[in-house]
Amino acid sequence: LTARIPLIWNNNPEATHIGALAAISGCFEEAGRICGQQAAHMLDTGSTSGVESQTSTRTWASLNMARAAALNLSPSDEVLSYFQELIPAPALAGG
């Protein structure tokens, strides 16, 4: 975390919670729902017939504001609007 390297992680939305600047991934909730529906269909019918390939249509992006500040980055409101989760910078002591 002391290196001034802006780590951006793909397909691990938790990476920003451990110090990455940003993380972008498919929506695991949506992907899980799709998988559950397909599994239920196969269990109900005993067949894979009728199960079509589907992909997540949503993404999840998070930005670690403390890491951005440490890198002297000040993302604009437009850039911030692309992220569903903004991990705040800790409040300054005595401020």
Side-chain angles (χ1 to χ4, degrees):
L1 295 178
T2 58
R4 295 185 43 82
I5 300 171
L7 175 64
I8 299 172
W9 200 282
N10 183 41
N11 255 358
N12 183 355
E14 296 300 316
T16 50
H17 292 273
I18 58 171
L21 171 63
I24 302 158
S25 72
C27 179
F28 292 146
E29 178 184 346
E30 182 183 34
R33 191 174 313 111
I34 290 168
C35 289
Q37 290 168 346
Q38 291 176 338
H41 172 80
M42 288 183 275
L43 291 169
D44 286 345
T45 64
S47 170
T48 59
S49 178
V51 175
E52 297 178 14
S53 176
Q54 297 181 40
T55 59
S56 176
T57 58
R58 295 177 20 212
T59 59
W60 180 263
S62 62
L63 180 67
N64 184 318
M65 298 301 289
R67 190 72 176 130
L71 293 165
N72 294 321
L73 299 174
S74 298
S76 68
D77 288 341
E78 179 183 1
V79 169
L80 294 176
S81 73
Y82 291 108
F83 294 89
Q84 288 78 24
E85 179 181 27
L86 299 176
I87 298 169
L92 297 175

